[in-house]
Amino acid sequence: MNNFSFPLSKRATTATSSAIREILKVTERPDIISFAGGLPSPEGFPVEQLHQAYDKVLSTQPKVALQYGPTEGYRPLREWVVSDFKSRGVDICVDNVLVVSGSQQALDLIGKLFIDEGSKVLLESPSYLGAIQSFSQFGPQYATIPTDDDGLIPEGLTDELAKDARFAYVLPNYQNPTGRTLSLERRIALVKRAAELNLPLVEDDPYGELRFEGEALPGLFALAQQHGATVIRMGSFSKVLSPGLRIGFIIAPEAVIRKLVQLKQATDLHTATVTQMAVYEAVKDGFLAEHLPKVRELYKRQCHYMLEALEQNFAGVNVTWTRPKGGMFIWMTFDGDVNTTELLARAVEEQKVAYVPGQPFYPYAQTAPTNHLRLSFVTVPEEKIRIGIANLSKLFK
């Protein structure tokens, strides 16, 4: 049954597995302390609220919930997104919103919309590996926008770099994998530069609501309305409610949404109606304002535990790490000839701890730097964070 000799598409033959998904298979072992998965903490899942929401939807509107729905999404949920963004000073209407089956579908649809074989796509360096994996299906040529310890450098978006590029993909808040946040000054400069170049920006913001320090900053979409740039904004309920719901959304100019709707019709017709209705029922009366502060406080504690453990255990090691003000990740950079990809097997087998090597977060992993790794701090309890970081330090010492 394992023999399969039929010809496959080029897309299928060049597809590769996600590095993180492969690592997660190993970390299912109960003896492994895993800092690898980018999973939100189950402690932050509003189980009772969602239970009540599904019960209400299925008891009061079962025939609607179990039927096909419009490709654009459940209108009350789209209207809720409009209202939520208007409360932040963002002027949109319901025709600017498309509900999708998680942010990963948004990436897939945006790739289908913009990328032909050989198209130039701009990324931060490093960038989210799920986006790289999704866009790579369509055969782009990647070019990277320079970054430093404060994230993307807008001045690095030169005329030559942007020439013929279809879009630039950026994560301004608590970036995956580095945890960095783009300053207001750099956001404004980036949006102005994109307007000058007539370059669309794809703003991915799954972590924006997970801020646990500092002030909230306006998103690129909001700034674009002031400075004449085109921004396609991705949002998600995965990190604020539950990733298992698979509900995300795209906010974009109406002409872009119309094309994305056509592409989505050919992909899955529409996102699950009953789930959209349950999400709307859960959030419509202001539940997130009550729920999110608890999640933020949980993540703040977890981040503090890991930063403290790093300070205690990596003293004397030539390494630096980011200090995120939100989100889920810390990025470590080692000096010298360190290969975190090669060391991962030893970390798992000898020290019983897992991380994600830095190489998969670069578009061309074979030429990527080898001296980085990503740690996730949100799903591991305090005691295991301290043990796991101590064990990890033994490897690098």
Side-chain angles (χ1 to χ4, degrees):
M1 293 294 290
N2 291 325
N3 294 327
F4 189 86
S5 59
F6 300 103
L8 301 177
S9 70
K10 181 179 178 181
R11 181 175 298 131
T13 55
T14 58
T16 58
S17 298
S18 162
I20 291 182
R21 292 288 164 184
E22 293 303 307
I23 291 167
L24 285 175
K25 292 178 184 177
V26 176
T27 61
E28 289 174 354
R29 285 167 39 185
D31 61 326
I32 303 298
I33 297 174
S34 176
F35 302 128
L39 311 175
S41 173
E43 291 184 42
F45 296 166
V47 176
E48 185 56 35
Q49 185 77 9
L50 289 171
H51 190 181
Q52 293 175 10
Y54 273 98
D55 280 352
K56 184 169 182 181
V57 166
L58 288 170
S59 61
T60 61
Q61 303 181 75
K63 293 181 180 179
V64 176
L66 300 176
Q67 186 56 278
Y68 286 117
T71 303
E72 292 83 352
Y74 182 54
R75 188 177 181 93
L77 182 59
R78 294 163 66 213
E79 290 173 342
W80 181 91
V81 171
V82 169
S83 176
D84 183 55
F85 275 79
K86 283 191 173 180
S87 72
R88 310 180 204 188
V90 181
D91 184 22
I92 58 173
C93 69
V94 73
D95 293 327
N96 298 123
V97 180
L98 170 65
V99 178
V100 291
S101 301
S103 287
Q104 199 64 28
Q105 185 179 65
L107 292 168
D108 180 68
L109 293 175
I110 289 167
K112 289 174 178 173
L113 180 67
F114 284 111
I115 304 173
D116 293 311
E117 185 86 24
S119 298
K120 183 193 285 189
V121 171
L122 304 184
L123 302 172
E124 298 167 275
S125 180
S127 188
Y128 172 47
L129 70 83
I132 295 170
Q133 186 182 25
S134 181
F135 298 152
S136 293
Q137 297 179 90
F138 308 107
Q141 292 295 313
Y142 293 111
T144 54
I145 306 169
T147 61
D148 60 17
D149 288 343
D150 296 313
L152 180 148
I153 303 171
E155 293 76 16
L157 191 55
T158 63
D159 290 4
E160 182 61 28
L161 185 67
K163 183 181 178 183
D164 299 324
R166 296 294 175 91
F167 62 87
Y169 171 76
V170 295
L171 297 97
N173 292 318
Y174 324 121
Q175 194 233 26
N176 184 355
T178 65
R180 296 169 182 151
T181 297
L182 206 58
S183 68
L184 178 59
E185 179 183 21
R186 287 195 178 190
R187 291 172 192 235
I188 293 171
L190 174 61
V191 166
K192 286 183 174 180
R193 187 73 182 119
E196 291 170 6
L197 296 165
N198 195 31
L199 174 71
L201 298 176
V202 175
E203 176 186 20
D204 194 357
D205 189 29
Y207 310 106
E209 294 295 336
L210 302 180
R211 171 185 53 83
F212 48 72
E213 285 184 24
E215 296 296 319
L217 297 175
L220 301 181
F221 189 95
L223 294 170
Q225 292 190 324
Q226 302 172 29
H227 298 287
T230 297
V231 171
I232 298 166
R233 192 184 196 285
M234 297 165 47
S236 174
F237 289 96
S238 289
K239 307 303 186 294
V240 298
L241 287 178
S242 155
L245 295 168
R246 308 310 304 135
I247 299 291
F249 56 88
I250 300 172
I251 300 174
E254 289 183 36
V256 173
I257 293 294
R258 283 196 295 271
K259 295 307 295 184
L260 289 170
V261 166
Q262 293 170 353
L263 293 168
K264 183 171 168 61
Q265 285 172 348
T267 301
D268 67 352
L269 296 182
H270 65 85
T271 299
T273 307
V274 64
T275 311
Q276 292 185 73
M277 293 177 71
V279 167
Y280 172 69
E281 189 62 39
V283 302
K284 67 183 178 66
D285 293 323
F287 171 71
L288 289 181
E290 168 195 334
H291 173 64
L292 284 173
K294 301 171 188 174
V295 178
R296 294 180 189 125
E297 187 58 34
L298 169 65
Y299 285 19
K300 181 178 181 179
R301 289 198 308 270
Q302 297 287 106
C303 185
H304 172 77
Y305 297 148
M306 184 168 282
L307 290 173
E308 191 176 67
L310 288 168
E311 293 281 0
Q312 291 171 352
N313 291 281
F314 277 86
V317 180
N318 289 325
V319 62
T320 59
W321 52 82
T322 55
R323 297 176 179 276
K325 297 183 178 180
M328 300 163 57
F329 306 112
I330 291 172
W331 183 248
M332 299 185 73
T333 302
F334 293 85
D335 289 343
D337 186 20
V338 175
N339 190 316
T340 60
T341 303
E342 293 180 356
L343 286 169
L344 177 59
R346 285 182 55 195
V348 171
E349 295 305 324
E350 296 175 16
Q351 303 300 334
K352 308 300 181 187
V353 63
Y355 57 80
V356 182
Q359 280 183 291
F361 297 99
Y362 295 85
Y364 300 109
Q366 64 273 20
T367 59
T370 64
N371 61 327
H372 302 286
L373 64 83
R374 190 195 76 179
L375 302 173
S376 176
F377 50 80
V378 300
T379 56
V380 184
E382 177 185 0
E383 181 182 358
K384 286 194 173 183
I385 286 178
R386 298 191 187 281
I387 294 171
I389 295 298
N391 290 353
L392 189 64
S393 71
K394 295 173 187 176
L395 183 71
F396 290 96
K397 285 178 177 176

